[in-house]
Amino acid sequence: MKRVLTIVALLFPLWVFAQNETNEVKKCFGFYRDAILQDRGGDAVNFVDSKTINYYNEVLQHVRNDDSIKLQHLSLFDRLMVLSVRHQLTKKELQGKDGKGLFTLSVQKGLISKASLQGTDLGEVTIDKVSARGQMLVNKQKTPVFMNFYKENNVWKMNLTSTFEQTTESIQRMLKRSKKSENEFLLVLLKSANNLEPTRNIWKPLL
């Protein structure tokens, strides 16, 4: 009996630690979700990881430098990201911005979807040292979507790039059903975002 109690005593701190880490991951998701739903870009950016910010840095470089020929070498998802920024944001708004600034502005201007976060929560979370993975719940029901998290400077942050593959697959299915070319389909998506017809300028560098 004494041996059993000793084992329990040794394992209990590990269990408490795991529970605390799980709670911190779920808090991160909750804070991010609420910030997005309330257009608080300055808050939301604090809950995404450096990989996400680096991606937005890359998008910004394409926005500023790529012409229509260079854009064709990007993946469908990346092309949509670049064209969305050019379609909905102005040169003046982007002036002096870096990846963090672009992400913040994207939240404030509605480029990041609120609909995908309505009624969501994080379900079961698995943790492996400085990385974590949580299943997305919608109205408390399990979904096939998982969010990845990384611990940076001892704080859990969301890695949005981990969802891009699933998003790309959804876009590809929509493209196939539309029977349009990739660029024609992208123009339809851009117009649906703000009910404005995209101009030819979206294919030009926003220098």
Side-chain angles (χ1 to χ4, degrees):
M1 182 67 177
K2 188 174 181 180
R3 184 178 178 184
V4 172
L5 291 176
T6 300
I7 294 173
V8 171
L10 289 172
L11 292 178
F12 185 72
L14 297 177
W15 181 84
V16 171
F17 175 78
Q19 286 297 108
N20 288 341
E21 293 293 282
T22 296
N23 290 338
E24 290 303 310
V25 169
K26 290 188 174 184
K27 279 183 186 178
C28 172
F29 176 79
F31 289 146
Y32 170 81
R33 176 201 59 216
D34 294 346
I36 295 294
L37 294 177
Q38 296 168 26
D39 299 322
R40 293 186 284 109
D43 292 331
V45 74
N46 294 321
F47 302 106
V48 296
D49 71 346
S50 57
K51 292 182 181 180
T52 301
I53 298 303
N54 288 339
Y55 177 77
Y56 274 82
N57 265 317
E58 292 173 6
V59 168
L60 194 53
Q61 293 307 309
H62 292 304
V63 167
R64 288 174 170 155
N65 302 313
D66 288 10
D67 57 19
S68 58
I69 296 175
K70 289 182 179 178
L71 287 178
Q72 297 310 312
H73 296 291
L74 299 181
S75 70
L76 184 64
F77 180 82
D78 291 345
R79 209 181 319 154
L80 175 60
M81 289 289 288
V82 172
L83 294 177
S84 295
V85 172
R86 288 180 180 172
H87 179 55
Q88 297 192 57
L89 301 178
T90 66
K91 179 180 178 180
K92 184 177 180 180
E93 288 173 324
L94 292 171
Q95 192 168 7
K97 295 291 190 297
D98 55 9
K100 186 174 181 179
L102 174 58
F103 180 86
T104 300
L105 194 58
S106 296
V107 175
Q108 294 168 342
K109 296 292 183 176
L111 272 71
I112 295 178
S113 172
K114 292 183 183 180
S116 62
L117 289 170
Q118 293 283 358
T120 61
D121 213 333
L122 211 60
E124 184 178 351
V125 174
T126 56
I127 296 174
D128 182 13
K129 297 180 180 178
V130 294
S131 65
R133 191 168 184 255
Q135 186 171 27
M136 183 87 81
L137 306 179
V138 176
N139 298 323
K140 298 184 180 181
Q141 300 298 312
K142 293 180 180 180
T143 74
V145 178
F146 288 82
M147 300 298 300
N148 287 355
F149 300 78
Y150 292 95
K151 206 169 191 181
E152 297 183 345
N153 297 320
N154 212 36
V155 178
W156 286 104
K157 306 254 179 145
M158 285 180 59
N159 174 232
L160 298 186
T161 66
S162 63
T163 66
F164 291 171
E165 184 177 347
Q166 291 172 307
T167 303
T168 298
E169 290 173 357
S170 297
I171 294 174
Q172 291 284 5
R173 288 194 293 270
M174 293 167 62
L175 169 62
K176 188 175 181 179
R177 290 197 298 268
S178 75
K179 297 182 180 180
K180 297 179 183 293
S181 69
E182 287 188 354
N183 287 340
E184 287 173 339
F185 177 67
L186 290 178
L187 293 178
V188 171
L189 290 183
L190 293 178
K191 184 177 179 180
S192 69
N194 60 1
N195 293 317
L196 294 177
E197 200 75 44
T199 70
R200 293 181 180 180
N201 289 334
I202 64 169
W203 301 104
K204 300 177 183 178
L206 197 65
L207 296 174

